């Protein structure tokens, strides 16, 4: 290991790389991590000097609050290597802003741009070899913050750890995605933490999703908790519907994550002249549209999955199969978005940031 200390960040590089052991063609999402990670602790009311060091486990006190009260938030981002070997990030400012909004909601300290953005860029610079060229190859970035202060009093911690880990990634889902529309369980409620990227929002989905899996469905379309009549998110993604040729998606709210892919797809769709309607979408209108043939597509959108077509949905024990579209909005929008991300078409929105 070679230490390299400057004013901004301490860097200790790994003695050897595990990159040669990785089969980049056959990656299971989020299973393999690069050689280094960024770590920065918050103590005594301030962020300490961040460090980049070899990826490794670390010790925490068993009473650390993250284990007991789930004080934990995260982000999902990706880095892309363009044909000229430069590495690019997609709208990192959006993730940075959302991370801090999540931090405020979970009573955690906000992180600085210097640590989040500059630290990430420095880490990516060290891990350039882990980012492969070519469409579909990405390096998934997982920034997260956990409460590391000890003591089981149910109150916010005074000590936190911010970390960034990196995982080479291709597709998130393999195979078809069929969904059940939630009529009992909820992902989020008004006044809750649904709009934050809080760890607890995801663990709360595991049990209902497990029940859906047992019935042969991969994911759940979440509905509003109060009435279960409005369609809100699909699994870990935002959700879009195409009825006739209009693209519909719910407005963001206290219950819905302000997805970066979601908002980017809305902008791309509008730029292509697609009629986009951001408004509450009712379960009843989805069922009616499926029955009268005007429902053409349903797809999820998120950083990890990008755009994921849904082949059918179940509601009230009736399964509705979606038509197979040759010119689907899902594939058109995915193509446009990933072309921008991979540097294959002009970045007319000014979204890409060079590392
Ligand atoms: C992402 O799309 O980046 C997410 O955060 C979803 C995650 C559960 C993989």
């Amino acid at each position: 290991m070679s230490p390299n200390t400057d004013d901004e960040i301490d860097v200790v590089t790994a003695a050897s790389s595990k990159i040669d052991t990785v089969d980049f063609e056959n990656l299971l999402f989020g299973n393999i991590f690069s050689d280094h990670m960024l770590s920065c602790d918050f103590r005594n009311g301030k962020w300490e000097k961040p460090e980049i060091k070899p990826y490794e486990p670390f010790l925490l006190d068993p009473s650390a609050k993250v284990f007991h009260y789930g004080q934990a938030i995260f982000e999902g981002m990706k880095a892309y290597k363009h044909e000229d070997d430069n590495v690019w990030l997609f709208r990192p400012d959006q993730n940075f802003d959302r991370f801090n909004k999540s931090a405020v909601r979970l009573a955690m300290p906000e992180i600085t741009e210097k640590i989040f953005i500059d630290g990430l860029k420095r880490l990516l610079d060290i891990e350039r070899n882990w980012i492969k060229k070519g469409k579909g190859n990405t390096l998934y970035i997982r920034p997260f913050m956990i409460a590391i202060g000890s003591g089981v009093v149910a109150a916010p911690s005074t000590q936190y750890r911010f970390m960034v880990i990196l995982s080479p990634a291709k597709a998130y889902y393999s195979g078809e995605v069929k969904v059940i529309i939630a009529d009992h369980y909820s992902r989020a409620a008004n006044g809750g933490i649904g709009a934050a990227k809080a760890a607890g929002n995801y663990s709360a989905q595991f049990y209902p999703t497990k029940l859906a899996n047992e019935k042969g469905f991969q994911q759940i379309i979440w509905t509003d908790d109060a009435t279960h009549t409005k369609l809100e998110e699909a699994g870990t993604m935002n959700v879009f519907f195409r009825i006739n040729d209009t693209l519909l998606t719910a407005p963001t709210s206290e219950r819905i994550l302000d997805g970066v892919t979601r908002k980017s797809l809305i902008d791309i769709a509008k730029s292509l002249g697609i009629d986009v309607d951001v408004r509450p979408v009712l379960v009843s209108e989805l069922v009616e549209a499926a029955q009268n043939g005007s429902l053409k597509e349903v797809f999820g959108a998120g950083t990890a999955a990008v755009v994921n077509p849904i082949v059918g949905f179940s509601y009230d024990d009736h399964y509705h199969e979606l038509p197979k579209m040759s010119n689907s909005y899902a594939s058109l929008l995915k193509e446009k978005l990933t072309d921008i991300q991979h540097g294959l078409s002009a970045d007319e929105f000014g979204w890409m940031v060079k590392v």
Side-chain angles (χ1 to χ4, degrees):
M1 294 190 196
S2 57
N4 163 7
T5 303
D6 64 27
D7 287 345
E8 313 283 331
I9 195 157
D10 288 339
V11 180
V12 177
T13 47
S16 63
S17 173
K18 54 182 181 271
I19 197 164
D20 290 339
T21 65
V22 178
D23 179 358
F24 280 84
E25 286 312 307
N26 297 293
L27 295 165
L28 205 56
F29 183 88
N31 243 21
I32 287 167
F33 294 91
S34 73
D35 293 321
H36 300 90
M37 61 188 188
L38 182 138
S39 181
C40 184
D41 284 0
F42 181 92
R43 293 175 201 275
N44 302 314
K46 63 177 178 50
W47 288 103
E48 297 180 342
K49 193 173 185 182
E51 44 180 348
I52 291 174
K53 56 186 180 183
Y55 185 97
E56 63 188 3
F58 55 89
L59 288 174
L60 284 184
D61 193 287
S63 73
K65 291 199 193 294
V66 65
F67 299 137
H68 303 272
Y69 305 116
Q71 213 187 355
I73 58 169
F74 71 95
E75 270 302 321
M77 309 164 70
K78 279 177 176 167
Y80 310 83
K81 189 177 270 178
H82 291 182
E83 278 312 308
D84 63 1
D85 277 331
N86 283 312
V87 171
W88 296 78
L89 287 163
F90 180 71
R91 309 187 77 177
D93 56 314
Q94 299 292 320
N95 299 93
F96 170 64
D97 286 350
R98 191 172 63 186
F99 192 77
N100 277 338
K101 284 186 184 138
S102 301
V104 169
R105 181 61 185 83
L106 273 284
M108 299 168 105
E110 292 178 65
I111 191 88
T112 65
E113 189 171 339
K114 207 160 196 49
I115 298 170
F116 189 105
I117 301 282
D118 297 354
L120 170 59
K121 285 183 176 170
R122 185 80 187 271
L123 179 64
L124 288 171
D125 192 34
I126 291 170
E127 302 294 56
R128 275 173 192 274
N129 289 345
W130 287 83
I131 316 170
K132 300 297 174 194
K133 287 195 260 194
K135 211 156 174 191
N137 292 320
T138 67
L139 188 66
Y140 185 74
I141 301 165
R142 177 51 69 90
F144 64 100
M145 193 200 317
I146 53 172
I148 58 171
S150 55
V152 294
V153 167
S157 177
T158 54
Q159 296 173 7
Y160 296 89
R161 182 159 298 164
F162 169 74
M163 302 191 77
V164 184
I165 54 175
L166 308 171
S167 177
K170 283 182 179 276
Y172 186 73
Y173 288 107
S174 56
E176 294 188 332
V177 176
K178 286 192 282 181
V179 296
I180 291 184
I181 295 185
D183 58 6
H184 172 67
Y185 292 105
S186 302
R187 176 191 169 273
N190 280 338
I193 56 170
K197 220 161 161 59
N201 283 335
Y202 295 78
S203 53
Q205 297 189 25
F206 292 165
Y207 177 67
T209 307
K210 181 173 156 246
L211 297 181
N213 293 162
E214 283 164 9
K215 292 184 178 170
F217 295 86
Q218 287 67 42
Q219 277 299 345
I220 294 178
I221 291 197
W222 300 104
T223 49
D224 67 293
D225 63 298
T227 66
H228 294 291
T229 57
K230 293 180 208 137
L231 300 155
E232 305 214 313
E233 290 203 20
T236 59
M237 303 176 285
N238 293 113
V239 65
F240 286 84
F241 309 92
R242 175 180 176 185
I243 296 184
N244 291 315
D245 285 335
T246 300
L247 191 61
L248 298 161
T249 193
T252 53
S253 71
E254 288 183 84
R255 299 185 303 270
I256 300 182
L257 192 80
D258 185 10
V260 182
T261 306
R262 172 191 173 279
K263 66 176 90 169
S264 306
L265 293 184
I266 291 173
D267 288 349
I268 292 173
K270 285 181 179 166
S271 78
L272 295 173
I274 293 173
D275 185 21
V276 182
D277 205 355
V278 178
R279 62 158 173 85
V281 186
L282 301 178
V283 178
S284 57
E285 71 180 301
L286 189 77
V287 171
E288 193 183 317
Q291 283 166 346
N292 69 24
S294 57
L295 179 65
K296 295 188 178 163
E297 294 177 57
V298 180
F299 57 89
T303 297
V306 192
V307 173
N308 211 278
I310 288 166
V311 300
F313 69 91
S314 171
Y315 181 66
D316 211 10
D317 285 332
H318 291 289
Y319 181 67
H320 303 266
E321 183 128 344
L322 285 146
K324 293 189 177 35
M325 301 288 295
S326 51
N327 292 315
S328 70
Y329 284 174
S331 51
L332 175 68
L333 295 174
K334 181 176 183 182
E335 190 77 4
K336 294 279 174 198
L337 176 66
T338 52
D339 275 356
I340 293 172
Q341 291 171 331
H342 287 273
L344 300 172
S345 70
D347 174 21
E348 59 194 90
F349 300 94
W351 286 335
M352 301 304 289
V353 173
K354 198 166 163 184
V355 171

